[in-house]
Amino acid sequence: MSYASPRTLIFGIDGGCWEILDRMIAAGVMPRLKKLRETSAWGDLESVVPVNSAAAWSSFLTGMKPEHHGVYDFLAWMPGSNRRTAVNASWLPRPTIFDLLKERGPLLSLKVPLTYPAWTINGAMVSGLPTPDDEAAFTYPGDLAAKLNPLILKHSAGRSWEVDSEQRGMILDQLDAAQISLERMTDYLLQKYQETQTCFVVARDVDELQHFFWDALFSQPGHDPFGYRPRLEKYFLRLDAYLGRMLDWAAPEGKVIIMSDHGFGPVEGIWHLNEWLRSKGFLSLRVESKKASDREGLSWSLRARFALSRRLLKGMKNLGLSGDRLEASLEKIKLSGLSSADLSGVEWGSTLAYAGNVGEEYLPIYINLQGREPQGIVSPEQYLQIREDLRRTLLTCTEPKVIAVHRSEEIFDLQDGRYALAPDLVIQTATGGVQSDFNIRTHQLFEPSRYRVACHRRKGMFLLHGAQVQPGHGQASLLDIPATLLAWLDVPIPGYFDGQPLSRFIPTLVSGTRHTTETAPAAQREFYTEDEEDGVREKLESLGYL
């Protein structure tokens, strides 16, 4: 197959970090990445806060910090409602990076998160997380989906939920199927759209793999009790081969950016922040929630029932027996806990603060502020005092050990947290390995993670390769990547972009970079239908965001 040149490749490794990639390079399973890095600029990439894929990929797509594009997590309150909704691509201010590149030739976007629903671009788009069904394609042009759906393997998404260590092989089965599906779609799309000049592709499943297999990735010979390390190395070998095919597409003259949205590290434990807030008098529960604690969230007993049901289902299928009723029962168990996303068990009339999203490394808390929260009770005049009281109380916490509690103005580019949708307080713990959730009526305030062995960290990775790149090692911000891409392709950088071109790695950008005087655009937010919302919530739950 012949391709035109020069081309530009942006290859995303969701959750990628050099700590793991270096181990795979040392194991000899990522030869293409190793060779590429020798003649590239590379290093650690500082992500945004909050440390999650929704905020990070939105910053990449818009060139803006979360407080400027408005997406802080996958869930947000629906205006005029007590229900929360999953965010989607319509929440992104336009133009996005794809729109700004429309004059640079046909573009292909494949599985970049926060691109559902797909929108009109100069080229083709296959939406990424979150979509209502990860085993179906959602595309622009719309009729492209019918061509891609037969290429997607069944059981390639949404199955990696809480399972015991010896059962995690089924997660690898899913991830292998997802990678094969991605490769199939890529081959088809590059053949169909041979005029493509810029290709964005994200290997999303590295994130999920690290959540469940961080310990196995660090296992030593003779200390891999379940034998996962060889399969993990095989996965990264396949990922490296896929990267190699994309590098071949870009050709030697091409411009290459490899990046992650955030990094990873081992998890210390799960902090049930809403239960902690309740214990300190900042949050109250409805009477029925106190009487029926098992209704709110997915309790550990419910999770155990799920794990047992899945093992039974797998055994039945191995025997060639039908498991339809058991499968339906299993899904019912899962979905019975999804209402926890709406925090329906909270008594808002006497709640001062709450945790509404999963936190990783930087843990968010919101004040129940009048005029901003659906049932806010804290007046703007009370806000500063209550926030400070909560901040001082958090600083006394020893399990987990809290080392800093930042006010919103100290983390985000804000003058006053009362007039923004950002978290009001952001907590840092001693190890950075604490993950917080928003469950209530848990039996413990802080406990070991029973299934996930790693969680997000702010330190991700990047690599730049091309004829103009000066090889070397250094640091960068995720916000610098979209600005660098535009400057590298001689596209004016909007004045509202928060990052800067990485001219220390690409010296020619110093004199060639141009800026516009445009102001930041506003998003025209749309919302999911009920069926779409159910599908998206189920996917987010399987990934640990609910």
Side-chain angles (χ1 to χ4, degrees):
M1 184 184 301
S2 61
Y3 295 106
S5 62
R7 293 194 171 104
T8 302
L9 170 66
I10 300 87
F11 191 95
I13 303 176
D14 200 293
C17 58
W18 289 116
E19 190 170 4
I20 292 299
L21 296 175
D22 279 339
R23 295 184 73 84
M24 296 299 103
I25 289 173
V29 298
M30 301 197 81
R32 288 300 297 265
L33 180 59
K34 177 183 179 182
K35 182 178 179 181
L36 184 72
R37 191 170 69 171
E38 292 171 355
T39 55
S40 300
W42 62 281
D44 295 329
L45 190 70
E46 184 179 63
S47 188
V48 297
V49 175
V51 188
N52 64 64
S53 292
W57 285 114
S58 295
S59 288
F60 168 74
L61 289 166
T62 64
M64 294 188 281
K65 299 175 181 178
E67 59 267 34
H68 296 155
H69 60 62
V71 175
Y72 293 95
D73 211 308
F74 283 107
L75 289 176
W77 290 110
M78 185 177 290
S81 170
N82 296 331
R83 180 176 171 82
R84 298 206 294 167
T85 185
V87 304
N88 61 69
S90 72
W91 291 47
L92 301 178
R94 306 290 172 85
T96 66
I97 193 80
F98 301 153
D99 307 308
L100 293 168
L101 291 172
K102 64 182 178 181
E103 302 300 330
R104 301 301 299 173
L107 180 150
L108 175 61
S109 169
L110 181 54
K111 288 294 185 176
V112 178
L114 264 292
T115 55
Y116 176 84
W119 65 93
T120 303
I121 62 171
N122 179 14
M125 180 187 300
V126 181
S127 295
L129 175 78
T131 62
D133 182 355
D134 256 15
E135 291 183 359
F138 298 87
T139 65
Y140 171 82
D143 58 2
L144 181 60
K147 302 293 185 181
L148 296 180
N149 283 335
L151 304 178
I152 301 173
L153 296 179
K154 295 301 180 184
H155 307 300
S156 62
R159 306 288 175 180
S160 60
W161 209 60
E162 284 86 347
V163 292
D164 293 331
S165 296
E166 67 273 14
Q167 297 293 325
R168 283 185 285 168
M170 68 176 67
I171 301 174
L172 286 174
D173 294 340
Q174 169 195 308
L175 300 182
D176 287 341
Q179 180 60 30
I180 293 170
S181 300
L182 178 63
E183 293 168 11
R184 288 178 169 185
M185 288 190 290
T186 303
D187 291 344
Y188 175 86
L189 292 166
L190 292 180
Q191 176 64 40
K192 179 176 177 64
Y193 298 99
Q194 294 191 26
E195 300 304 313
T196 297
Q197 291 298 297
T198 305
C199 181
F200 297 77
V201 61
V202 173
R204 164 78 191 98
D205 296 295
V206 175
D207 178 288
E208 199 158 351
L209 180 145
Q210 292 175 150
H211 270 304
F212 289 97
F213 295 98
W214 185 270
D215 53 351
L217 287 165
F218 279 85
S219 63
Q220 300 298 321
H223 296 278
D224 181 20
F226 305 111
Y228 294 136
R229 179 61 184 260
R231 286 197 64 183
L232 293 168
E233 291 184 355
K234 184 178 179 181
Y235 177 90
F236 279 98
L237 180 65
R238 181 160 199 145
L239 179 65
D240 187 73
Y242 177 61
L243 170 63
R245 286 152 65 184
M246 298 308 300
L247 294 174
D248 292 341
W249 171 84
E253 305 83 11
K255 299 177 173 74
V256 177
I257 298 176
I258 302 177
M259 59 167 291
S260 67
D261 54 337
H262 54 73
F264 256 83
V267 66
E268 176 189 351
I270 306 298
W271 190 5
H272 305 299
L273 262 178
N274 279 334
E275 187 62 20
W276 184 92
L277 289 167
R278 189 179 74 86
S279 74
K280 301 299 181 182
F282 289 94
L283 181 144
S284 298
L285 300 182
R286 295 165 56 186
V287 173
E288 56 265 38
S289 292
K290 295 177 183 178
K291 292 180 179 179
S293 62
D294 59 337
R295 293 179 186 172
E296 191 65 34
L298 291 177
S299 65
W300 291 122
S301 62
L302 196 59
R303 295 171 191 266
R305 286 171 55 199
F306 177 88
L308 176 60
S309 296
R310 176 135 71 178
R311 283 196 291 270
L312 288 171
L313 179 64
K314 184 177 180 181
M316 291 174 65
K317 289 182 176 180
N318 288 340
L319 293 172
L321 302 175
S322 173
D324 292 346
R325 293 184 63 183
L326 191 58
E327 182 84 55
S329 174
L330 183 146
E331 290 302 314
K332 185 176 180 180
I333 292 171
K334 283 182 66 176
L335 293 173
S336 68
L338 295 184
S339 63
S340 65
D342 296 320
L343 302 172
S344 57
V346 174
E347 176 54 69
W348 295 106
S350 53
T351 288
L352 302 176
Y354 71 97
N357 298 99
V358 170
E360 300 183 64
E361 188 175 15
Y362 290 77
L363 316 179
I365 289 185
Y366 292 85
I367 301 298
N368 192 24
L369 180 65
Q370 288 178 359
R372 184 187 69 185
E373 307 300 319
Q375 301 180 66
I377 64 168
V378 176
S379 70
E381 295 74 24
Q382 297 171 312
Y383 173 88
L384 293 178
Q385 183 60 55
I386 289 175
R387 185 176 70 166
E388 199 58 29
D389 289 346
L390 175 54
R391 181 176 175 273
R392 286 196 295 265
T393 305
L394 282 162
L395 285 170
T396 67
C397 185
T398 58
E399 189 183 24
K401 175 62 177 176
V402 171
I403 60 170
V405 182
H406 305 282
R407 305 169 185 90
S408 56
E409 300 90 349
E410 298 165 349
I411 290 286
F412 305 104
D413 184 15
L414 302 171
Q415 294 297 316
D416 191 329
R418 288 173 289 191
Y419 305 106
L421 298 177
D424 297 295
L425 293 170
V426 178
I427 308 163
Q428 282 185 273
T429 60
T431 66
V434 172
Q435 179 173 324
S436 63
D437 64 18
F438 48 86
N439 289 339
I440 58 177
R441 297 302 301 174
T442 56
H443 297 295
Q444 300 180 52
L445 303 183
F446 181 69
E447 60 184 322
S449 174
R450 301 192 182 190
Y451 303 104
R452 295 171 185 263
V453 296
C455 61
H456 298 171
R457 297 292 197 280
R458 196 175 182 187
K459 185 172 72 175
M461 57 77 64
F462 79 96
L463 181 149
L464 307 174
H465 183 83
Q468 299 170 311
V469 175
Q470 183 173 299
H473 181 267
Q475 314 297 315
S477 164
L478 182 147
L479 294 161
D480 296 333
I481 298 299
T484 299
L485 176 60
L486 292 183
W488 207 0
L489 296 179
D490 198 30
V491 175
I493 301 172
Y496 56 81
F497 265 40
D498 289 314
Q500 296 296 324
L502 294 170
S503 56
R504 60 188 179 277
F505 301 122
I506 310 176
T508 55
L509 300 186
V510 174
S511 58
T513 299
R514 297 172 290 163
H515 292 77
T516 71
T517 57
E518 297 175 61
T519 57
Q524 302 296 319
R525 295 183 174 183
E526 299 177 0
F527 301 94
Y528 290 109
T529 66
E530 185 174 339
D531 287 344
E532 288 176 324
E533 184 82 32
D534 288 344
V536 169
R537 285 194 179 203
E538 186 175 357
K539 178 59 181 177
L540 294 177
E541 185 275 330
S542 75
L543 294 173
Y545 284 105
L546 299 186

